């Protein structure tokens, strides 16, 4: 069965651009001829199939990186009204064209389908993040092959890949990489990361003692903020004394110092990673090798 016979979800769908830069998240319709539109839509159909078909769905919680045979899903995801309106009425979306001598920067491309049954709307949308290398820049000598000869194309252009970075269906956003998905859509609501106020409160916890509080706050990157949020949500510092944390850490092959009934957070990036990872249950001793490991993701197994 050839491509096009099997995949028909987005047939004849309009191609919509999400702008970046000064026109962040503004939507524009990409004007293409009928054959190109069909080819792009079929490509997105196939890309969605590659993204989720025959794979296990894992509920997203920010702590787990999926394997090749898995994908992540955010349930009850709120698709923006602007994207829904663009799918309802693509001709109402302004065309993507040169403004003031240049084209707007592109953030992502999507195609979508709307169905309505018994007064209920359903949307299916496939998104692809746009990378800088997809621009066909006029500053280079771009060669295209035709009639046994390469000829130069002097016009500005873009290429569209055969991948989908995330897919919205039945109120659910599905993706394999949170990092790529959040480059397209605002996912901050679904990912707990400590605010500046939470970082400040963490450094004044009565269970922790920091060798250099200011240095810790200055190095509080996304990973550290995520760990702080998860530690706070787990109440581990509420439910366990510093002495208990030290003993549990020792059992896992991790050295934690305690002073004045507080866990010492040293001014060392690697030690900070190990201690915060342990408090978030991502540092453990291997049952066979007895080596101590720091995991980069985790998923709770339901008994």
């Amino acid at each position: 069965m050839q491509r096009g016979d099997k995949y028909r979800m987005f047939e004849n769908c309009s191609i919509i651009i999400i702008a970046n830069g000064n026109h962040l998240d503004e939507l524009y319709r990409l004007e293409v001829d009928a054959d190109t539109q069909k080819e792009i839509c079929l490509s997105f159909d196939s890309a969605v199939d590659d993204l989720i078909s025959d794979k296990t769905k894992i509920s997203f919680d920010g702590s787990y990186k999926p394997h090749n045979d898995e994908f992540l899903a955010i349930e009850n995801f709120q698709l923006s009204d602007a994207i829904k309106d663009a799918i309802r009425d693509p001709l109402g979306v302004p065309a993507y064209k040169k403004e003031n001598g240049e084209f707007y920067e592109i953030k992502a491309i999507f195609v979508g389908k709307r169905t309505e049954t018994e007064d209920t709307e359903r949307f299916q949308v496939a998104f692809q993040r746009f990378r800088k290398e997809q621009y066909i820049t006029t500053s280079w000598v771009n060669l295209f092959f035709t009639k046994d000869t390469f000829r130069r194309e002097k016009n500005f252009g873009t290429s569209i890949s055969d991948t989908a970075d995330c897919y919205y269906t039945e109120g659910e956003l599905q993706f394999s990489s949170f990092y790529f998905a959040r480059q397209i859509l605002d996912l901050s609501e679904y990912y707990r990361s400590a605010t500046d106020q939470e970082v400040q409160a963490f450094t004044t916890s009565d269970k922790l003692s920091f060798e250099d509080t200011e240095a810790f706050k200055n190095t509080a990157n996304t990973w550290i903020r995520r760990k702080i949020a998860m530690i706070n949500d787990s109440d581990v510092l509420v439910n366990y004394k510093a002495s208990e944390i030290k003993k549990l850490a020792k059992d896992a092959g991790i050295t934690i110092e305690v002073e004045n009934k507080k866990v010492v957070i040293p001014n060392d990036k690697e030690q900070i990673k190990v201690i915060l990872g342990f408090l978030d249950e991502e540092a453990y001793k291997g049952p066979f090798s007895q080596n101590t490991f720091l995991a980069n993701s985790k998923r709770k197994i339901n008994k």
Side-chain angles (χ1 to χ4, degrees):
M1 183 177 292
Q2 295 181 350
R3 200 181 96 186
D5 296 329
K6 180 179 179 181
Y7 306 112
R8 294 289 182 180
M9 185 191 317
F10 296 120
E11 187 175 21
N12 299 323
C13 290
S14 293
I15 299 98
I16 307 296
I17 284 172
I18 304 177
N20 210 346
N22 294 332
H23 298 270
L24 183 63
D25 292 335
E26 291 181 7
L27 303 183
Y28 298 92
R29 186 181 71 258
L30 188 65
E31 290 285 3
V32 295
D33 60 55
D35 288 340
T36 303
Q37 178 185 23
K38 180 179 179 181
E39 184 66 20
I40 292 173
C41 292
L42 290 176
S43 177
F44 269 100
D45 281 330
S46 180
V48 168
D49 191 66
D50 291 339
L51 181 68
I52 63 174
S53 290
D54 300 321
K55 296 183 179 182
T56 301
K57 181 172 71 175
I58 307 295
S59 294
F60 175 75
D61 65 1
S63 298
Y64 183 72
K65 293 183 179 180
H67 297 289
N68 291 334
D69 60 350
E70 300 171 327
F71 67 90
L72 301 173
I74 297 176
E75 299 176 357
N76 301 315
F77 182 81
Q78 298 300 313
L79 192 66
S80 76
D81 290 338
I83 292 175
K84 290 180 180 178
D85 287 342
I87 296 170
R88 292 187 186 106
D89 180 24
L91 295 179
V93 179
Y96 181 68
K97 59 183 179 180
K98 187 179 290 187
E99 293 283 349
N100 299 321
E102 62 181 22
F103 288 92
Y104 296 153
E105 185 180 345
I106 300 175
K107 176 181 178 181
I109 294 173
F110 70 86
V111 298
K113 176 182 178 181
R114 171 187 174 273
T115 57
E116 185 173 351
T117 55
E118 298 180 355
D119 298 325
T120 299
E121 280 186 308
R122 287 184 172 83
F123 291 90
Q124 293 168 286
V125 193
F127 298 88
Q128 177 187 124
R129 64 193 174 92
F130 197 85
R131 304 178 301 280
K132 289 184 178 180
E133 57 265 30
Q134 288 177 250
Y135 288 114
I136 302 174
T137 174
T138 56
S139 63
W140 290 7
V141 178
N142 300 304
L143 302 179
F144 291 84
F145 188 75
T146 180
K147 296 181 180 179
D148 299 324
T149 304
F150 284 95
R151 62 176 179 83
R152 182 183 182 186
E153 176 56 66
K154 298 181 180 180
N155 291 322
F156 168 81
T158 66
S159 62
I160 297 176
S161 75
D162 58 354
T163 60
D165 292 295
C166 49
Y167 172 54
Y168 175 86
T169 181
E170 300 292 338
E172 186 173 271
L173 187 70
Q174 303 172 346
F175 51 91
S176 59
S177 169
F178 177 78
Y179 176 75
F180 291 153
R182 72 176 182 176
Q183 292 179 31
I184 302 170
L185 301 167
D186 181 7
L187 302 182
S188 57
E189 178 183 345
Y190 306 94
Y191 184 83
R192 272 281 284 131
S193 182
T195 63
D196 289 343
Q197 290 78 12
E198 286 180 291
V199 173
Q200 172 62 32
F202 190 74
T203 61
T204 59
S205 168
D206 59 5
K207 296 289 182 66
L208 303 175
S209 175
F210 290 80
E211 283 189 358
D212 191 330
T213 301
E214 289 305 314
F216 178 84
K217 290 191 289 188
N218 290 335
T219 58
N221 56 19
T222 301
W223 187 91
I224 288 177
R225 288 172 181 266
R226 177 62 180 163
K227 292 297 115 184
I228 290 174
M230 297 294 285
I231 292 166
N232 286 343
D233 291 348
S234 71
D235 283 337
V236 64
L237 295 178
V238 175
N239 297 329
Y240 292 88
K241 299 176 182 178
S243 58
E244 293 173 323
I245 292 172
K246 178 179 180 178
K247 182 180 183 303
L248 290 170
K250 183 178 180 181
D251 293 340
I254 296 169
T255 300
I256 287 182
E257 300 295 334
V258 172
E259 292 182 1
N260 299 321
K261 299 182 180 181
K262 294 183 179 183
V263 171
V264 175
I265 307 296
N267 187 25
D268 180 278
K269 291 182 179 179
E270 289 305 312
Q271 285 300 308
I272 288 173
K273 280 188 175 182
V274 171
I275 294 172
L276 295 187
F278 174 73
L279 292 175
D280 187 33
E281 298 188 294
E282 286 191 352
Y284 63 96
K285 179 182 286 188
F288 303 109
S289 68
Q290 296 298 299
N291 291 326
T292 300
F293 298 95
L294 183 63
N296 64 359
S297 73
K298 64 182 178 183
R299 178 164 68 96
K300 183 179 179 180
I301 299 175
N302 294 323
K303 296 181 180 179

